Structure formats: C-alpha cells, structure tokens
Amino acid sequence: MPSFPNILININGVLAAPEEARISVFDRGFLYGDSVYEVTQTIRGIPFRLDLHLERLRKSASKIGLSILTTDLELKKQIARTLIALDEPTVYLRLVVTRGGEEEISLDPNTPGRENIVIIAKELKPYPIEWYEKGVRVIIADTIRNPLESIDPNVKSGNYLNNVMAFGEASKIGAYDAIMLNHHGEVTEATTSNVWMIKDGTIYTPPLRSGLLEGLTRKALLQISQHAKIPVFEKTITPQELFEADEIFLSSTTKKLIPITTLNEKKIGTGLPGPLTQQLRQLYDQHCEHTLKSFEPEWREILGLLG
Amino acid sequence: MPSFPNILININGVLAAPEEARISVFDRGFLYGDSVYEVTQTIRGIPFRLDLHLERLRKSASKIGLSILTTDLELKKQIARTLIALDEPTVYLRLVVTRGGEEEISLDPNTPGRENIVIIAKELKPYPIEWYEKGVRVIIADTIRNPLESIDPNVKSGNYLNNVMAFGEASKIGAYDAIMLNHHGEVTEATTSNVWMIKDGTIYTPPLRSGLLEGLTRKALLQISQHAKIPVFEKTITPQELFEADEIFLSSTTKKLIPITTLNEKKIGTGLPGPLTQQLRQLYDQHCEHTLKSFEPEWREILGLLG
C-alpha cells in the first residue's frame, strides 16, 4: 500500500489515507454537487480564521436549505484530530459537508438524510515566488458567472463547474487564472479569488451584488485599507476599467495577494507588481500574524479536549 | 453485511453492492460536480435507446471539454455485465462519467486524469398509477434555470443544485415537481422532465433556446405527433399560457408522459388528464414497444460478447 504521509482525510470521524478515502456513489455531493465547503489553512499549526470559515459554511448551507447537525465544536475536534495525525505546520484544509444520500436516488433535498463530513488535510507547499515578485497573467473568461437567481455565487457549493470551465479557458493558454463577468458585463471575481483594482491611489473591488463570493481575505482587506487611510470602495467594475487600472491583484485565503501584471494580452500599469499592491501585501501579512495570535488560545483548548 | 439484491453498482468495471460502492473524495465529480450522466431504463431486459443516451452523454461531455476515453462498446459491455448480475427485467440505469481527480486538488480540467465510470443499476418499480390517471400537481419554481452562458442546461452534468433547489420548493409543499423559468420569464422544463402544453388541439413545447435539456422522449414525441398529423410546435411559452392551457404534461425517459392537472393552486383544463395527453400516451407506448424490438438484436450481440 502506497503511503501519502502529507495528506490525510477524515470522513465522518474516521481517518483515512488518500487511496482509502472514499464516499458513497449515492452521496448527493457526488450525484448533484449538493454540498457546501470551505478552504482554509494552518499557520504554525493553527487553523486560520476557522470560526469565520465555519460561520460562512453554515451560511452557505442555510442558503441551500441544508441544516448542518454537527456542532462547530465537533467539527473543530475532528479537524484537530486530523491535524495531529498529519503533523505538519502548514496545512491546506478543505471541509466538505454534503446532504448525504441514499439508494433511493431522489432529487428531493427535504428528505432528512445523514450529512457526510469530509475533511481533507494536506501539507501546503509554498507557492512559486515569481507569482508575487513578477505577478501573473490572467484572462477575462468567456464563461459567465452563475447569476444570483440560479446558483448564488455567494454559496460555496459543490456546483463548481462554472468556475472549472472558466479556469479551463485560462489553463488552456497557460494563464494563471480567469476573471469572470456577470450577465451585465461587470467584473465579479476570479475562479477562487476576489479581484481588486487600483486607480490613482484608490482601491476598488466589485460589490457583492455583482455576484461573487464574499471572501474573508476581501473582508479583511477592506478593513485594513480603511484603517491605513487608503481610500477603498466597493463599486461595479468593467473589464475596460481593469485594462486601464494602475494595478490589479487577486486575494484569497491560501494565496493571499497575487499581483496581476498581464490581463489577456495587455500589460497592466508598468507590467510589474505596483507599489500599493506591495504595501497591502505587507499590511495583510502583519494582519495575519496579529490575528493568528488571537486564534491560538481557543485552538489550544480544542487540542486539550482531545485528551 | 446487509444485501440489496435489487441494486448493483459498477465502478470502473468492478461490481459492488450499494454499501461498498464508493468513489474517491478526490474525484472531481464529488469536489466540483465535474461529471456528466445519463439515465435510461431496461424494458424486458433491454436498455432503452442506449445508443442515443451514449451519444448525448458524449455531447454533454464534449461541451465541458471532457473526452470520454472508454468506447461505447466497453460501456455497453459493462452495462450488460451489471444487468446480468442484477437479473431484473425492469431496471433504472444511471451512467456517470467524471473527469477523475487526484490528490492535487486543482480546478484545472485540462490536466489529463483518468475518468471514473459509475453505473448504477436498480430495479425500477412501477410508478403510482394515480400520477397517470388523476394527474399531478406542479408548481412554478422561484429558482431560475441556469442560463446557457453560465451552465448550459443542455449539458447533463453533476452540477444539479439548480434543479435540486427547484425540486425542493415543490416537495416542501407536497407538489410533484417544479417547472423552472429562464431569466426572461419563459418556461424551460421541470427538474427532470420536459414540459408540454396543449391549446385548441395544438401541442407546444419550449424551444431549446429557452434553455433546457433536449429530452429523448421530447424528440420522439415531436416525431410521433407529426406522424399522427397532430399539429405540434416548439415555441416560447409563458407561465400565463400554461395556466390557460387545455392540457399540460411532462415527459421523461423513465416516467414517460405524466399529466399535470394542477399548476400552483390552479386547476388546468377540466382538472383531469385531457384526451390529447391520453392519446399521446398511447401513441408513445406503441412507439416504445416498436422501437424496443429494434434494440434487441444489437443487445443480444453485446450479451454474446461477454462469453
């Protein structure tokens, strides 16, 4: 049996190596993408913003009428068990909760089933330094972001084909990622990150009503910028505005801030990561170090409960 | 170990009982709904319209850039093996092909992975006779059908949350199913069936451009009606037109034609299944018997190949 010491999966409380980590084909997550999920990471062994991720997980679940019966404390204990067994300081953490499923194969989300909880923990290797030093090339996708009235993009669900298709457009031509527009031609987000633009010293990011996931890094950056007295606004953004921006960058939990220096075929600003993006990166790193300390006491407590 | 003699699953050529039928949590079908599927049934042991379903499966796959490497012949042989082991004359057959997946967890659909093939075969019990004799109650869903530019409804994929949510609206109030509208307020389809309306002796069904799956039963019904000299048209349909119709019905492979006698709270026509729906049901049953014979010789050949 091959061993993958740097990946471990927890399925309903049972730890498994990747090759043994399996879920029923009747699980609604598999049949319909009827699941919600969150991704965070650990920094020096401590899950980052776990409470906020669990809060958002329940918000996603509630928007698709899924009541997660497992308590936050139990979810945290299972995450802790998995992390202890994995024994790595920097870990990618994916938490998936599905609506369960039975042999009946019914679309009905209202028949009470037993939810399935899957935790995937894997060592998170550092991302390529060039992404941060030189910036990345991103495209505007032809695939249009799911509209709010069909599949709310603010629900982090297992229905991710929309983003998969957009990402595929980018990867096909060797680009880093794709920015998706909504049906009105407004910028929404990249496939797993929020989008930001800087023009004349002011920071802009699309508002939630454009149809995007409310990123936790996005939320933090809005606060950090205000605190640093850098003008920042949520406003609808057109692709044209992105092309004419001084700087553009992406934000996400695991990758933090990544400068976009080429959009489609066009150089953005000077073609190098801009000064305000770099300043925000530093401020955000400081913010992470600072808040990480605040998560530590509770996490020690959780670890203590495992006995 | 409990046994479910009337359900059998085939995963990449390995037969499994339901409780053992599991797929990797890294499968993209589970993580993103990155899969395509088809549902058909056997009649007296012969899979109905299997070639057309396999053709549509590849069409769905191609629309999401998934090249199914397994040949039709191999898929048919695996279906045959499963059916022989199950040994039931009337079987619900679900064929799922996913883009595979690895521990890497990347959105990228362009990295060549090994597809996973899942066949679920289960005894198909007769549906309640009242559905056909009295008709069913259906609602117009608030959930709007995925638009073509985001997730093409003509791709039968594992991204099915849109329909799950619509079905949930119906089941919550005890209705049979929900009809979904598109962003222009036009009727598209029910959650797993096409929709038909009859007015003054003419049959109407929404055109593909309204955003719906091109049902194989729909296709057959268009031909059958033309052949029987009953006027039939594809045209955009509003909910108002449905409410004012003489008859409405649903069509699908496994459930065939089901009369809708109540829409939201309103009685349709006389409140009983209408004469043209009943006539079409008969014509369709004859069509099924007739075409079934044409599938028999090839199926015998496939069975013979298993040796």
Side-chain angles (χ1 to χ4, degrees), chain A:
Chain A
M1 191 182 75
S3 74
F4 298 86
N6 56 352
I7 309 184
L8 209 55
I9 297 94
N10 182 323
I11 303 178
N12 297 326
V14 180
L15 294 178
E19 67 277 15
E20 293 157 351
R22 292 173 183 274
I23 190 105
S24 169
V25 297
F26 295 100
D27 182 87
R28 299 174 63 96
F30 177 69
L31 291 177
Y32 314 126
D34 192 0
S35 60
V36 291
Y37 79 100
E38 281 292 324
V39 171
T40 185
Q41 70 166 97
T42 63
I43 302 174
R44 297 193 295 277
I46 299 162
F48 194 64
R49 288 198 287 242
L50 186 53
D51 278 310
L52 292 177
H53 282 281
L54 292 179
E55 187 185 321
R56 193 171 63 179
L57 183 80
R58 286 184 195 277
K59 206 168 137 195
S60 290
S62 130
K63 283 190 180 191
I64 62 163
L66 196 174
S67 337
I68 301 176
L69 300 176
T70 310
T71 63
D72 276 7
L73 179 61
E74 182 58 24
L75 289 173
K76 287 175 187 173
K77 279 160 97 174
Q78 291 303 337
I79 289 169
R81 280 185 63 214
T82 317
L83 289 173
I84 289 170
L86 184 66
D87 195 23
E88 293 281 355
T90 313
V91 175
Y92 165 100
L93 264 179
R94 189 183 190 100
L95 173 59
V96 186
V97 181
T98 83
R99 217 187 298 258
E102 283 161 31
E103 288 86 30
E104 197 43 53
I105 310 188
S106 151
L107 275 195
D108 196 354
N110 297 319
T111 47
R114 188 176 152 259
E115 65 202 22
N116 282 317
I117 311 248
V118 176
I119 299 162
I120 300 177
K122 57 179 286 195
E123 185 189 358
L124 185 61
K125 301 258 171 64
Y127 294 109
I129 190 78
E130 307 88 70
W131 289 357
Y132 302 93
E133 288 184 348
K134 296 188 176 164
V136 295
R137 175 183 167 216
V138 165
I139 62 161
I140 308 268
D142 288 333
T143 307
I144 299 298
R145 192 78 180 92
N146 285 332
L148 288 153
E149 316 79 44
S150 296
I151 294 282
D152 185 347
N154 209 18
V155 174
K156 224 169 151 68
S157 84
N159 269 237
Y160 222 66
L161 196 49
N162 187 226
N163 303 38
V164 164
M165 295 317 293
F167 190 89
E169 291 183 45
S171 84
K172 208 168 47 189
I173 57 167
Y176 170 82
D177 200 351
I179 289 173
M180 302 176 81
L181 309 180
N182 67 17
H183 283 76
H184 306 292
E186 301 163 3
V187 170
T188 63
E189 59 187 332
T191 62
T192 51
S193 313
N194 287 120
V195 177
W196 302 76
M197 148 186 136
I198 295 165
K199 184 72 181 178
D200 300 329
T202 299
I203 307 170
Y204 303 94
T205 197
L208 297 185
R209 66 173 179 279
S210 287
L212 49 98
L213 183 81
E214 188 173 12
L216 296 175
T217 307
R218 177 183 181 278
K219 224 168 171 176
L221 280 174
L222 286 173
Q223 290 167 353
I224 291 165
S225 307
Q226 280 167 349
H227 199 255
K229 306 259 189 284
I230 309 170
V232 62
F233 297 97
E234 293 178 76
K235 84 165 200 78
T236 55
I237 295 176
T238 64
Q240 196 51 39
E241 288 175 297
L242 284 189
F243 284 117
E244 291 165 3
D246 299 327
E247 306 175 34
I248 322 179
F249 65 91
L250 299 174
S251 70
S252 78
T253 294
T254 50
K255 290 170 186 160
K256 300 185 177 180
L257 279 65
I258 296 195
I260 297 173
T261 44
T262 307
L263 184 62
N264 285 356
E265 301 304 321
K266 193 186 173 298
K267 208 181 269 186
I268 296 302
T270 63
L272 286 170
L276 208 40
T277 304
Q278 300 298 56
Q279 187 190 340
L280 279 170
R281 276 190 62 205
Q282 281 184 355
L283 288 173
Y284 184 67
D285 281 343
Q286 289 164 15
H287 166 84
C288 288
E289 278 302 318
H290 183 74
T291 53
L292 186 66
K293 287 196 188 77
S294 70
F295 307 133
E296 205 167 338
E298 198 215 343
W299 193 246
R300 299 273 160 243
E301 234 175 87
I302 300 284
L303 294 175
L305 289 177
L306 295 184

Side-chain angles (χ1 to χ4, degrees), chain B residues 77 80 84 297-307:
Chain B
K77 280 160 97 174
I84 288 171
E298 198 217 343
W299 194 246
R300 297 274 161 241
E301 235 176 87
I302 301 284
L303 293 174
L305 289 176
L306 295 183

